[in-house]
Amino acid sequence: MTTTNLTGSEKYSFNKLQKKLRRLTGRAIEDFNMIENGDRVMVCLSGGKDSYTMLHILMSLQKSAPIHFELIAVNLDQKQPGFPEHILPDYLDGLGVPYHIINRDTYSVVKEKVPEGKTTCGLCSRLRRGTLYAFAEDIGATKIALGHHKDDIVETMFLNMFYGSRLSAMPPKLRSDDGRNIVIRPLAYCREKDITRFSEQLEFPIIPCNLCGSQENLQRQNIKAMLSEWERKHPSRIESIFTAMQNIAPSQMADTELFDFKNLELDRSGERKDYEHADNQTIFSGNINILEKDNGVQVINFKP
């Protein structure tokens, strides 16, 4: 990592970007109470730009935070052919952060269980998640930090809508189904374009994400292309969508488990407020004619 070759204006731009990522990460941590005093945070590193950025920003925040918390970097080596095993240890040794490399041949398991031509992502992610959850307990980690950002969260919502028929995404903070682990996403307020710029500037040693040989997730790529087109035509569209995800009105949706539509009842016990711009209206309905108002009281003429 280096910024020594930057010009004055480039260094100013980089510092501004770093402060932005720090500010947004700090706000997400505060809004969702992601990290508390005494926490041991297991930072999951994949070797991609997002997890590198997450570790860098968390280490920066750790130095100035008003609370004490530990950071432990963890990588799962799934034994994909061609995986450069030396890159992460070399990088983390230079960084001076405590770390663990878990060696588990999930690649062979997936290749054995999944028929040729079928996507391996589902089983692979389950094996990876189970391994990391168990290891978090083994090392006494109280939080598991993942590098998903705002774009990931919005994309996942549309993936689940279009292909899963459910309205859900990646919450910034999640308790596992068995209650034994808490997952946090400190970059939840950060945009991918900013993370990309930050990663390129610091020249992180990126490990390719396609080593397993599986086909690119076409569904996610379709969603990403759709959102990119929206952003091109309407800048800040992703920001608006994410903000909407934070302003959900259950009574305006259609989930009968989330809101009790069946037992809705009229309540006319209080005084009715005047409707906006309702003065001087005339209503004709069947054989009833509301003609006028006399001292504010409607006069109704019932025709014979």
Side-chain angles (χ1 to χ4, degrees), residues 104-163:
R104 185 183 179 192
D105 189 2
T106 60
Y107 176 84
S108 295
V109 175
V110 170
K111 287 299 182 182
E112 178 186 347
K113 300 294 183 182
V114 179
E116 189 69 27
K118 298 292 184 180
T119 180
T120 62
C121 299
L123 177 58
C124 182
S125 63
R126 290 197 300 274
L127 292 173
R128 183 170 61 249
R129 182 169 57 248
T131 301
L132 293 173
Y133 279 10
F135 191 71
E137 285 198 69
D138 292 342
I139 64 173
T142 53
K143 303 287 172 57
I144 301 173
L146 303 180
H148 299 119
H149 45 68
K150 182 177 287 186
D151 297 67
D152 287 327
I153 293 172
V154 172
E155 289 167 13
T156 300
M157 185 187 72
F158 282 100
L159 272 171
N160 290 334
M161 285 175 59
F162 294 168
Y163 302 106

Side-chain angles (χ1 to χ4, degrees), residues 89-229:
D90 289 351
Y91 173 78
L92 294 171
D93 282 335
L95 207 57
V97 64
Y99 70 90
H100 298 281
I101 305 294
I102 307 170
N103 293 284
R104 185 183 179 192
D105 189 2
T106 60
Y107 176 84
S108 295
V109 175
V110 170
K111 287 299 182 182
E112 178 186 347
K113 300 294 183 182
V114 179
E116 189 69 27
K118 298 292 184 180
T119 180
T120 62
C121 299
L123 177 58
C124 182
S125 63
R126 290 197 300 274
L127 292 173
R128 183 170 61 249
R129 182 169 57 248
T131 301
L132 293 173
Y133 279 10
F135 191 71
E137 285 198 69
D138 292 342
I139 64 173
T142 53
K143 303 287 172 57
I144 301 173
L146 303 180
H148 299 119
H149 45 68
K150 182 177 287 186
D151 297 67
D152 287 327
I153 293 172
V154 172
E155 289 167 13
T156 300
M157 185 187 72
F158 282 100
L159 272 171
N160 290 334
M161 285 175 59
F162 294 168
Y163 302 106
S165 299
R166 67 182 189 278
L167 194 57
S168 65
M170 295 173 172
K173 186 177 182 181
L174 170 73
R175 189 176 72 166
S176 60
D177 291 340
D178 61 7
R180 302 180 71 89
N181 286 287
I182 291 181
V183 173
I184 60 174
R185 295 180 169 95
L187 301 183
Y189 288 170
C190 300
R191 292 297 307 274
E192 183 175 21
K193 58 186 179 183
D194 292 330
I195 292 171
T196 299
R197 286 173 53 211
F198 188 75
S199 174
E200 291 172 348
Q201 189 63 70
L202 291 183
E203 299 178 349
F204 292 135
I206 303 298
I207 298 174
C209 60
N210 61 348
L211 293 172
C212 60
S214 64
Q215 291 184 341
E216 193 173 40
N217 188 328
L218 184 59
Q219 294 175 347
R220 182 171 287 275
Q221 293 307 312
N222 288 339
I223 296 297
K224 187 181 287 288
M226 178 191 75
L227 291 173
S228 295
E229 180 66 12

Side-chain angles (χ1 to χ4, degrees), residues 25-62:
T25 302
R27 187 192 303 167
I29 290 173
E30 181 179 359
D31 286 352
F32 295 94
N33 194 28
M34 291 185 184
I35 300 177
E36 302 169 83
N37 190 48
D39 266 341
R40 172 174 286 187
V41 182
M42 188 175 94
V43 184
C44 297
L45 287 184
S46 64
K49 68 182 190 312
D50 305 330
S51 58
Y52 277 128
T53 298
M54 175 177 63
L55 176 61
H56 185 98
I57 297 298
L58 287 178
M59 290 180 66
S60 177
L61 290 174
Q62 186 185 36

